[in-house]
């Protein structure tokens, strides 16, 4: 299914944190078993404004992520639906064993939002810049892992996972993303969105890198290449059918992620390609580096996460492209 | 009252016997920390917990989480004797494909409320269960046994702060203060200094009890239930390997693969308990 309208990557969306807070409010009002848990980052994700609107359904656990994960597990034992939010590195790195054992291994029902994805952590810098959360979450058996690329998707996914049992992790930035989708779009688990079709190379991206991939497709068009852009928002399960389809269709894949090149989207695509459709692949992602302070645009340059980097990788690939 | 205590004394002997039998059948396991919670389990499952094996998910039931998951063998003995599953199942402990793994699993064992074993985590889950009932205005109680060594874990102290802040007065935490952890004495590894003082400082209504006395455990839990302003902690003065003098005296008694001498002492303890119970081991 190709979208007829190619979205502009210049349009600003509503802030992701506003999308989270508004959706959470609606969900909590609809279902009294939904309990939002925060670890002293309510102001950062805009849920502080909900305190008087959903009393008893919004708990600030304080700066104790491990305990928050366990409290969520306990709430789930009694049939509650906990929605947890903290920055991505605290949700995964810091409380990983709690998430893994008390949440996933115990087969409980946790909805986890990891915010400030990768370089969007900006001035919080290296301690707060998660480039590994998707990799960690991919290793949790049965966990479903998404990266939201705009507010339409985030709102859809939050509503979707509220009604599904199990461990769901959504990675997001907090500020406004580039608007990609109109309300009414459907985002299924294990699927993807072909935002722009093409036959020379397929650019597969998630989160903020979808907009970079769209820019890269324009750069490639200037060079006479017809690039497909695919939003692989479902990191696990990944849309292997689409990956294989475009591997055969284009014979060249470039992945782009605001994450370590190991463990996340690039790895997921590489795993599918190597087993089912071994075509040349380049992975755009953070290579053996930690985070640092800086504006998002600056950090994209530092970590080689720009449209130009994607374009260059695609050109290199197509130079050596062989029919399969 | 004395009839109740007599029943609990009897029940604790049954739990200890079954615990020893299942571990002896397996041939190795966590003897020390299983035996030190036998009396606490006897009071909980013999009297305190509102649980029904024939209606395990009843809305008004109480919850129990064994945060020190390595005490699983004693927990399973109490559950089997209470009727949650056939006693024969105890002899599958930790065997291939068993529903009684070394550490409790809520998805495998009837009556188990939470999967535990990664120390420090069960207490947070117990706090979450208690919070859920408080939010609903329900009176279900949540009980949790936490180990003294387990209290090395920082997460426990997060959970305690949370419980006190939210005044989870239907939560009772029992501390199995058996003075030992895997590598030795708690005072030599991470000295607890004074658990009661710590729990009081953390906002718990804190009591102490002789953890080998079902009467004292019962009275402390009962006293804790009678107040409604704070979560409750009962610091149980216990001995690792409790109730089997030979195992109590054995230095390295956390996880035992019995040698010939150990085996002889364990079989003697089993025989003593069988004699005391007159061959009758069901409730």
């Amino acid at each position: 299914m190709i979208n007829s309208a190619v979205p502009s990557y210049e349009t600003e969306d509503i802030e992701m944190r506003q999308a989270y807070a508004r959706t959470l409010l609606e969900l909590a009002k609809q279902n009294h078993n939904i309990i939002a848990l925060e670890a002293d980052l309510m102001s950062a994700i805009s849920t502080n404004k909900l305190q008087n609107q959903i009393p008893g359904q919004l708990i600030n656990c304080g700066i104790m992520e491990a305990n928050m994960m366990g409290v969520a597990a306990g709430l789930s034992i009694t049939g509650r639906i906990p929605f947890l939010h903290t920055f991505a590195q605290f949700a995964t790195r810091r409380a990983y064993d709690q998430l893994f054992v008390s949440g996933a291994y115990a087969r409980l029902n946790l909805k986890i939002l990891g915010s400030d994805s990768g370089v969007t952590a900006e001035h919080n810098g290296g301690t707060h810049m998660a480039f590994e959360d998707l990799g960690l979450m991919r290793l949790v058996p049965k966990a479903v892992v998404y990266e939201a690329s705009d507010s339409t998707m985030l709102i859809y996914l939050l509503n979707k996972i509220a009604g599904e049992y199990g461990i769901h992790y959504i990675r997001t930035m907090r500020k406004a993303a580039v608007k990609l989708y109109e309300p009414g779009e459907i985002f299924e688990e294990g699927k993807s969105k072909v935002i722009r079709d093409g036959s020379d190379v397929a650019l597969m991206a998630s989160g903020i890198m979808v907009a970079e991939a769209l820019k890269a497709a324009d750069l490639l068009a200037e060079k006479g290449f017809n690039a497909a852009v695919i939003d692989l928002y479902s990191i696990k399960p990944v849309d292997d059918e689409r990956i294989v389809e475009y591997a055969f269709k284009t014979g060249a894949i470039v992945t782009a992620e605001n994450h370590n090149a190991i463990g996340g989207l690039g790895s997921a695509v590489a795993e599918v390609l190597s087993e089912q459709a071994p075509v040349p692949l380049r992975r755009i992602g953070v290579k053996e580096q930690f985070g640092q302070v800086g504006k998002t645009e600056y950090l994209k340059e530092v970590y080689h996460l720009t449209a130009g980097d994607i374009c260059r990788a695609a050109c290199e690939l197509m130079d050596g492209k062989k029919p399969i | 009252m004395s009839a109740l205590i007599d029943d609990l004394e009897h029940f604790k002997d049954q739990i200890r016997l079954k615990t020893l039998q299942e571990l002896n059948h397996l041939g190795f396991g966590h003897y020390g920390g299983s035996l030190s919670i036998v009396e606490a389990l006897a009071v909980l499952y013999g009297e305190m917990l509102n649980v029904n094996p024939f209606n395990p998910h009843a809305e008004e039931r109480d919850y129990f989480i064994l945060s020190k998951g390595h005490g699983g063998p004693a927990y399973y003995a109490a559950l089997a004797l209470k009727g949650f599953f056939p006693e024969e199942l105890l002899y599958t402990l930790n065997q291939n494909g068993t529903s009684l793994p070394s550490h409790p699993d809520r998805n495998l064992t009837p009556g188990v409320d939470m999967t535990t074993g990664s120390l420090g985590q069960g207490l947070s889950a117990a706090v979450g269960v208690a919070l859920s009932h408080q939010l609903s205005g329900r009176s279900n109680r949540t009980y949790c046994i936490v180990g003294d060594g387990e209290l090395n874990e920082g997460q426990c102290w997060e959970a305690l702060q949370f419980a006190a802040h939210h005044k989870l007065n239907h939560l009772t935490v029992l501390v199995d203060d058996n003075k030992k952890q895997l590598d030795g004495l708690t005072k030599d590894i991470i000295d607890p200094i004074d658990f009661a003082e710590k729990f009081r400082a953390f906002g718990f209504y804190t009591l102490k009890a002789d953890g080998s006395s079902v009467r004292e455990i019962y009275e402390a839990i009962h006293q804790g239930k009678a107040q409604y302003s704070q979560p409750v902690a009962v610091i149980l003065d216990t001995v690792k390997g409790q109730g089997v003098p030979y195992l109590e005296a054995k230095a390295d008694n956390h996880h035992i693969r019995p040698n010939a001498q150990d085996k002889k002492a364990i079989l003697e303890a089993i025989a003593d308990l069988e004699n005391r119970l007159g061959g009758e081991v069901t409730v």
Side-chain angles (χ1 to χ4, degrees), chain B residues 51-63:
Chain B
V51 289
N52 179 354
F54 303 106
N55 187 10
H57 303 297
E59 214 173 0
E60 71 280 5
R61 77 186 179 94
D62 292 332
Y63 285 70

Side-chain angles (χ1 to χ4, degrees), chain A residues 35 56 59-61 63-68 70-71 73-75 77-78 80 97-98 101-102 105-108 165, chain B residues 61 63 65 105-107 113-115 118 121 124-125 127-129 131-133 135-136 155 157-159 161-162 166:
Chain A
I35 310 278
I59 309 280
N60 194 335
C61 296
I63 311 163
M64 24 172 106
E65 294 80 7
N67 181 58
M68 176 169 74
V71 167
L75 289 168
I77 290 171
T78 63
R80 306 279 191 176
D97 192 50
Q98 287 76 16
V101 175
S102 290
Y105 179 61
R107 309 290 198 278
L108 290 167
Y165 192 91
Chain B
R61 77 186 179 94
Y63 285 70
I65 293 176
D105 187 324
R106 62 182 290 275
N107 296 293
D113 284 322
M114 182 54 183
T115 301
S118 184
Q121 297 191 24
S124 290
V127 165
V129 170
L131 174 69
S132 183
H133 291 127
L135 291 170
S136 308
Q155 187 183 348
W157 302 94
E158 293 185 359
Q161 290 179 75
F162 186 97
H166 288 276

